[in-house]
Amino acid sequence: MTTAPPKPVDAKPPVPAAAPERIKAKQRPGDVIFSTSTIVAGGLILAILALVALFLIVQSIPAFVADPAEIKGSPSSFWAYVAPLVGGTIWAAFLALLMAVPVAIGIALFISHYAPRRLAAGLGYVVDLLAAVPSVVFGLWGITVLAPFVQPFYSTVVDIFGWIPILAGPVSGTGRTILTVAIVLAVMILPIITALSREVFLQTPRLHEEAALALGATRWEMIQMAVLPFGRPGIISASMLGLGRALGETMAVAMVLSVSGGFSFDLLKSTNPSTIAANIALNFPEAHGVGVNVLIASGLILFVITLIVNSIARYIINRRKAFSGAN
Amino acid sequence: MTTTTVPAPPMTNTLTAGKLPKATPWLLLVGSWIVMGVIFGLLMMAGVTADFNIVGTIFFGTVLFVIVLTVVSRLYEGVRRSKDRMVTSLVSLAFIIALLPLISLLFTTIVNGAHRFDLTFFTYTMRNIVGEGGGGLHAIMGTLQITGWATLISVPIGLLTAIYLVEYGRGTFARAITFLVDVMTGIPSIVAGLFAFAFFALLTGVAGIRFGFGGAVALSILMIPVVVRSTEEMLKLVPNELREASFALGVPKWLTIVKVVLPTSIAGITTGVMLAIARVIGETAPLLIIAGFTQSMNYNMFNERVMTLPVFVYTQYANPGSDAQAYLDRAWTGALTLILIVMLLNLAARVIARIFSPKLGR
C-alpha cells in the first residue's frame, strides 16, 4: 500500500552550469495567488487549533474560579467534580485497550501472514466496515443486545470469582457496567489498531522473513523473530491512537453505562464512574450558567489528555519512519 | 525434531513425514464441538439448563479444540510445531471474534430497523407526533445540509493544505502543519462540538446558542485532517515525470498543479473526500451540543435548532414517550438509514477509486 512516495519536484527549471547568472523563474500573478492561498489554508489549520485551545480555555476559566456550591452535585471543588470522571475515562479506555490490542494484533497477523493472498484485501475491508458504523448505533446495539447477552455471564463470574476485589458483587441486573462499555469501546477501536498494525506487518522486509523460514523456523517463529520486533513501534503507536479514540468516545458510553457518582474499580457492579465525554453529552443539553463552563472545562481536560496520548503515538510513528530501512 | 511415533506406510513421503494429516485440525474442531454439544445436551436433559446452550457449545468447543490440537500436535510433531499450530488457531480465532459483533450489529439493525423502514418514515417529521407514526425526514434533511456545509468548508481548506504540503511546503512551517494535522485527527468529537459552542457563544453573545452552521463548523474540524491526509497521499502518487514534462513545456507551476497534477489524482481525492464525509456523517456528540434537537423541520442553518439523523436516533432512544416501542422502532430505523448512507458512501468511494483512477505503470 504505502510504498516510498516520490519526492515532490522542485519548480525551478534546470540551470546550465556554465551560465554566468541564474535565470530566475518568472513570478506570474497566478503563481503568487495560488501559492499564497495554499499557505493561507495551511495557516488556517494552525489558527483553528490555536482557536480551539484558546476558546476552550477562555470558556473554562469561570469554572475554575466558580463557587463549588454552584456545580452540579455540589462537590467540594471543581477538581473533586472532575477527578472521578477522569478516573472513569482512563479506566474504561484502559480496559478497552486491554481487550482490543491482542485481538487486533491477531487480526492483523491473520490478514497479513495467514489468510490466503486473494482473500486478504477483502478481509481487511470487512474489518474496516466496523469503523464505518456510527457510534450511536454501537450504543444502541450495546444496550439492547450486548448488555442483556453478557449479564448472565456476569452473574456466573460474580458467583465463582466474587472474592476477587474488582469482580465483587452485587452484580448489575442490567449488564450496563463499565466492563460492557469497555467491550463496546474495544470493538470500536479494533479497526484503527488493526489497520495500522497490518500496514506495519506488511512492511516487514521480505528477506528477513524468508531468511527465518529458510533456517527452518515455523511460521510463528518467523513472526516472533522477524515480524514482531520490526512492528513493535507500530503496534505501540497504533495502540496509543486507539487509546486516544477510546478516551474521547462519547455516545456509546453515554448510552450503555449506568452511572453513579464517585469512582471505583469494580467491573460488574451497577455503580460505575462516568467518563468525561459521556458526562458532557448527558448533561450539556440541560446545563446553564456556570454548569456550561464546568462541562467545557472538563472537555478541556479531555482535550489535553488525548493531545498527550496522540502526540506520543505520532512521535513514535515519525521516529520510526525516519530510521527504518523499510521505506 | 521428535518424529518417533509415525505409523509409517511402506513408502514415506519425507516432506510430510512427522506431520499431522491436513484434515486433522478440522476433524478435531468438529470433534470438540460434538463433545461439548453432548455435554451440554446431557446438562439440558438433567435439567440444569433450561434449553440447549448453543453459544456455550461453540465457545467451549473451540477452547477445547485449541487445547486438544496443541496437545496432539505436541505428541506427534514436537514443541515447536505445536506452538505454531496453537498460534495459527488463535490468530484465526481473533479474526472470527472480530466478525461476531459486526454480524450481530448488522443483523439486529436490519431486523429491528425494517419495522418502520416505510414511506411514512421518509416523508414525515416528528412535529406534533406522540406515540406511533411520524418519521425522520427533518433529521435526514438536517444531516444532509450540515454535512454539505461541513464539506464545503473542509474540502477547499483540506485540498489547498495538501497541495501546500506536497508541492510547496519546505522547512519548519510544513513540518508543523503535518504534525498539527496529525494532532487534529485525534481531537475527540465532543471537544470539537464544545469548541464550536464556545466560539459562537462568545461571538454572538447568546449564552445557550444552538444552530446548524455551528454543527457544520464542528464537523469540519473533524473532517479537515482526514481530507488533508488522503489528498496528500494521492498527490504524492502523481509521478514526477508528469510535472517535469509540464515544466519543460513552459507551463507555470500553478497551472501545472491545476491542469496536470489535480486531474491525474482527482479520483483518489474524490474517494478520500467521500470517506471523510462517511466518517463525519455519523457523528453524534458535537451535533448534540451545538445543533441541538427539535421535532420540526428547519431549513435555516443560521437560526434555531436543527435535527440530525444520529441525534434523532439518540433522542428517540433516550426520551421515549408513552409508547416506548414506537420510539425504539424509529431509533432503529434511523440507525439503519444512517448505516445505509455510510455504506453507500463507502461503496461509491471505492467504485470511483477503481473506475477513474489513472492507469499508470506503462
Side-chain angles (χ1 to χ4, degrees), chain B residues 99-127:
Chain B
L99 284 188
L100 292 181
L102 181 66
I103 295 169
S104 157
L105 191 146
L106 291 180
F107 179 76
T108 20
T109 312
I110 292 171
V111 167
N112 291 325
H115 289 308
R116 282 300 319 278
F117 202 76
D118 48 22
L119 201 61
T120 321
F121 185 84
F122 293 100
T123 47
Y124 278 77
T125 68
M126 284 299 291
R127 193 175 177 82

Side-chain angles (χ1 to χ4, degrees), chain A residues 26-51:
Chain A
K26 200 172 147 196
Q27 283 293 312
R28 298 174 185 81
D31 266 329
V32 176
I33 294 169
F34 195 76
S35 66
T36 316
S37 60
T38 61
I39 292 177
V40 168
L44 260 179
I45 288 188
L46 289 175
I48 289 172
L49 263 178
L51 281 179

Side-chain angles (χ1 to χ4, degrees), chain B residues 45 90 161 252 258:
Chain B
M45 277 187 263
L90 285 180
T161 308
V258 173

Side-chain angles (χ1 to χ4, degrees), chain A residues 110-247:
Chain A
F110 181 78
I111 293 173
S112 66
H113 284 85
Y114 283 88
R117 271 288 124 248
R118 278 160 184 276
L119 282 181
L123 295 180
Y125 179 60
V126 169
V127 176
D128 288 343
L129 269 187
L130 267 181
V133 177
S135 62
V136 68
V137 184
F138 269 113
L140 214 51
W141 173 75
I143 199 164
T144 53
V145 178
L146 186 66
F149 176 74
V150 291
Q151 203 279 332
F153 292 97
Y154 290 175
S155 305
T156 318
V157 167
V158 167
D159 286 346
I160 301 172
F161 297 105
W163 46 273
I164 301 174
I166 59 170
L167 298 179
V171 67
S172 158
T174 54
R176 294 166 60 180
T177 75
I178 199 151
L179 188 59
T180 315
V181 168
I183 295 172
V184 176
L185 286 180
V187 175
M188 295 178 77
I189 63 177
L190 260 185
I192 184 172
I193 305 180
T194 307
L196 273 168
S197 323
R198 190 178 68 203
E199 289 295 309
V200 179
F201 290 158
L202 284 174
Q203 281 177 18
T204 315
R206 214 43 222 259
L207 289 176
H208 292 192
E209 296 177 8
E210 283 167 4
L213 290 174
L215 288 172
T218 59
R219 183 144 52 172
W220 166 237
E221 286 165 341
M222 178 270 281
I223 288 171
Q224 246 182 335
M225 287 189 287
V227 179
L228 289 184
F230 181 83
R232 189 170 298 130
I235 297 173
I236 293 172
S237 56
S239 313
M240 299 286 273
L241 288 181
L243 181 64
R245 212 31 89 76
L247 286 171

Side-chain angles (χ1 to χ4, degrees), chain A residues 6-9 30-31 41 46 52 55 59 106-107 110 125-126 132 141 143-145 216 220-221 251 282 307 310, chain B residues 80 84 88 91 98-99 104 108 161 166 173 180 183 186 190 195 198-199 236 240 243 254 284 314 317 332 342 350:
Chain A
K7 283 258 158 51
V9 274
D31 266 329
L46 289 175
V52 170
F55 275 89
Q59 288 276 40
I107 300 168
F110 181 78
Y125 179 60
V126 169
W141 173 75
I143 199 164
T144 53
V145 178
W220 166 237
E221 286 165 341
M251 293 323 288
L282 288 176
L307 202 66
N310 281 313
Chain B
R80 295 173 54 218
D84 187 46
T88 306
V91 160
L99 284 188
S104 157
T108 20
T161 308
V166 175
F173 188 59
L180 289 180
V183 167
I190 193 145
F195 158 70
F199 182 73
K236 280 179 180 170
N240 269 339
R243 296 190 182 89
W254 75 278
T284 319
Y314 173 67
Y317 163 76
W332 277 113
V342 175
R350 268 157 224 273

Side-chain angles (χ1 to χ4, degrees), chain B residues 5-54:
Chain B
T5 49
V6 185
M11 289 280 284
T12 359
N13 182 346
T14 47
L15 288 175
T16 55
K19 275 188 179 175
L20 289 172
K22 262 195 165 174
T24 316
W26 301 108
L27 291 177
L28 282 178
L29 181 61
V30 174
S32 328
W33 281 346
I34 292 172
V35 168
M36 274 299 155
V38 167
I39 291 177
F40 275 103
L42 287 176
L43 277 178
M44 180 185 65
M45 277 187 263
V48 182
T49 49
D51 46 3
F52 187 69
N53 190 343
I54 193 146

